[in-house]
Amino acid sequence: MSLSALKNKYIDVKLILLLAAFYTLFNLVYLGKLAYMRAFVYREIVESWHDIIIHNMLIDWIIVVVYMSLIAISTKRLLDENYSWIRIFLLHTLFSILIGFVIRFVFDLHGILLGRMTFADYSIKASIDRMIFVIDLNFLIYFAMIFIIYTYYYLKQVKETEKQKTLLESQLTNTRMKMLSSQLQPHFLFNTLNSISVLVEMDAKKAQDTIADLSDLLREILYSSENYKVSLRKELRMLDYYLNILTLRFSDHLIIEKNIDESLLDQLVPSLLLQPVIENSVKHGYSYHNIHLKIVINISKSRGYLVLSVHNNGKPLTEKQEALLEKGVGISNTRDRLLTLYGKKASFKIRNKEGGVETLIKIPFSKT
């Protein structure tokens, strides 16, 4: 990963400014307390305000803000890598103690460089004593800022979740409308109704089954719940309605073969995932040179991933056809939904394969 990508992923400028603002407010409160103490309690204090603000508070402010910015970056990585909460708490406890040593070391080095103290005068024990004297305050300040960091990341995650939910709703609605538009095209309905009309005299039972399939297909598209994911079992059931109608329309010119690992039927998949892929296979698989189309649906598992493959024996795609497919509403919408749901963990590929064209989808396991 490039330096720029790492910066965008882990460095949040708004969070750093928030931490800086909090510690600035803390210092302002401290200054107010100190002013009161000097005026009414310890009037014998003679240290100048210049030394207090420049040589003490400013250096301390810089150290704490830089240190906590690094902690914020580390915390983001800890959250991304799913460390246990016990481990995270122990690490933060260690860091809360370490910050005292860092501050003390920088102050001692600053004093030596400015000539306020010589190496001969420097005492490790005295330095540790001063650090221990404020260890409780450092602990409280550290965990107050950690609380800010975790609250910030939590609220940010809530916003991203809401944004993702809205995006998914839009994508799912687009998919449903695309499917509905596809199925309600005049030629689709006319061909299906004509087939039913012919079957009424020849095979009344099959005509009734086709009407039921058409009704169930449209009902699933229109009225099914707005779930982003459904079980593979439900997805395949809805797909069967569509495949039954396709098989009727194309008669002996279309063969559908399924190879499905039944142990995967409870795995969750994006709703309405397979139908656009099948539609695409039929649309581009048929040609004057290939009027007998075979579509093979394979669903298996591989190293924690659900692998869905749709292969047709149509003519290999040209580069121009591949580009048009990538821009198509159904394919682009499917890609967007996979990216929204799984990020880079999912993959979607359309590729020429020996004997035809394959659409390959890989998504992480997610069980009901």
Side-chain angles (χ1 to χ4, degrees):
M1 187 180 290
S2 67
L3 182 61
S4 176
L6 282 172
K7 179 181 177 181
N8 293 333
K9 184 175 182 180
Y10 292 114
I11 299 179
D12 193 314
V13 176
K14 289 183 179 179
L15 176 57
I16 292 174
L17 291 175
L18 184 62
L19 294 173
F22 169 79
Y23 201 57
T24 300
L25 180 61
F26 173 82
N27 279 318
L28 290 175
V29 172
Y30 174 76
L31 277 176
K33 183 191 81 170
L34 187 61
Y36 177 86
M37 299 297 286
R38 288 180 61 137
F40 303 106
V41 183
Y42 301 114
R43 300 187 181 186
E44 67 275 11
I45 297 176
V46 295
E47 188 176 9
S48 69
W49 282 108
H50 178 272
D51 286 343
I52 292 173
I53 295 174
I54 302 300
H55 296 294
N56 292 337
M57 296 187 65
L58 180 59
I59 295 174
D60 176 78
W61 186 92
I62 293 172
I63 296 170
V64 171
V65 171
V66 171
Y67 186 87
M68 294 309 300
S69 297
L70 295 175
I71 294 297
I73 295 170
S74 301
T75 300
K76 183 66 168 66
R77 298 194 65 173
L78 290 175
L79 292 173
D80 287 348
E81 295 174 13
N82 293 321
Y83 280 84
S84 69
W85 284 104
I86 293 176
R87 187 174 181 182
I88 291 175
F89 177 76
L90 292 176
L91 283 172
H92 282 308
T93 301
L94 176 62
F95 291 148
S96 70
I97 297 172
L98 183 61
I99 190 173
F101 285 99
V102 173
I103 293 172
R104 194 69 261 156
F105 171 78
V106 173
F107 267 102
D108 290 343
L109 182 62
H110 176 72
I112 292 172
L113 292 176
L114 291 182
R116 294 184 169 188
M117 177 174 58
T118 65
F119 281 109
D121 296 330
Y122 178 70
S123 169
I124 295 179
K125 183 180 183 307
S127 183
I128 293 176
D129 289 344
R130 284 192 292 269
M131 190 275 293
I132 295 296
F133 183 75
V134 293
I135 191 172
D136 53 344
L137 182 61
N138 288 337
F139 180 86
L140 290 174
I141 293 173
Y142 178 90
F143 274 95
M145 298 180 82
I146 283 296
F147 176 77
I148 292 173
I149 291 171
Y150 276 92
T151 301
Y152 178 87
Y153 284 137
Y154 172 76
L155 294 177
K156 187 176 181 180
Q157 185 179 36
V158 168
K159 287 184 178 180
E160 289 176 351
T161 300
E162 288 298 319
K163 183 179 179 181
Q164 184 186 59
K165 181 180 177 181
T166 301
L167 181 59
L168 284 170
E169 287 175 351
S170 174
Q171 291 171 343
L172 189 56
T173 299
N174 288 339
T175 300
R176 291 183 185 280
M177 291 303 101
K178 172 64 173 63
M179 288 182 63
L180 185 60
S181 173
S182 173
Q183 307 321 327
L184 291 180
Q185 286 178 4
H187 75 269
F188 177 87
L189 282 178
F190 290 159
N191 288 337
T192 303
L193 293 174
N194 284 334
S195 299
I196 293 172
S197 177
V198 173
L199 284 172
V200 167
E201 296 292 335
M202 300 174 56
D203 190 337
K205 178 63 169 62
K206 194 169 185 179
Q208 291 175 351
D209 291 342
T210 304
I211 292 172
D213 287 332
L214 180 60
S215 174
D216 289 336
L217 175 63
L218 297 179
R219 185 181 298 109
E220 286 285 349
I221 296 172
L222 284 170
Y223 301 116
S224 60
S225 61
E226 295 292 323
N227 291 327
Y228 310 131
K229 295 181 185 179
V230 296
S231 67
L232 179 60
R233 189 189 312 275
K234 183 175 181 180
E235 176 73 7
L236 290 174
R237 184 174 69 245
M238 198 203 76
L239 183 66
D240 282 339
Y241 302 145
Y242 180 68
L243 293 178
N244 289 341
I245 295 172
L246 280 184
T247 303
L248 175 67
R249 285 178 54 200
F250 293 99
S251 187
D252 296 333
H253 297 289
L254 177 63
I255 297 174
I256 305 292
E257 181 180 312
K258 299 178 187 177
N259 301 307
I260 299 169
D261 185 343
E262 293 191 358
S263 68
L264 302 173
L265 292 178
D266 290 328
Q267 292 292 328
L268 294 178
V269 298
S271 179
L272 308 175
L273 175 67
L274 290 172
Q275 190 272 346
V277 177
I278 300 295
E279 181 185 354
N280 184 67
S281 294
V282 172
K283 180 178 179 181
H284 295 279
Y286 272 112
S287 67
Y288 290 112
H289 305 289
N290 187 50
I291 60 173
H292 295 283
L293 184 66
K294 181 178 181 180
I295 295 178
V296 181
I297 303 171
N298 292 303
I299 301 179
S300 58
K301 56 186 175 183
S302 175
R303 299 180 180 178
Y305 280 84
L306 185 66
V307 182
L308 303 97
S309 167
V310 177
H311 180 273
N312 70 71
N313 64 345
K315 186 178 179 181
L317 297 172
T318 63
E319 291 185 6
K320 184 177 180 180
Q321 287 174 321
E322 287 183 8
L324 289 174
L325 279 177
E326 294 293 332
K327 296 178 180 178
V329 175
I331 297 303
S332 61
N333 186 272
T334 300
R335 283 187 185 278
D336 291 341
R337 291 175 63 211
L338 290 173
L339 182 63
T340 303
L341 284 168
Y342 306 105
K344 294 183 179 179
K345 293 181 180 179
S347 64
F348 183 98
K349 297 178 182 177
I350 299 177
R351 60 188 183 183
N352 291 324
K353 199 173 180 181
E354 185 178 353
V357 179
E358 179 186 46
T359 300
L360 187 65
I361 302 172
K362 291 178 67 176
I363 58 177
F365 276 160
S366 179
K367 201 168 184 179
T368 55

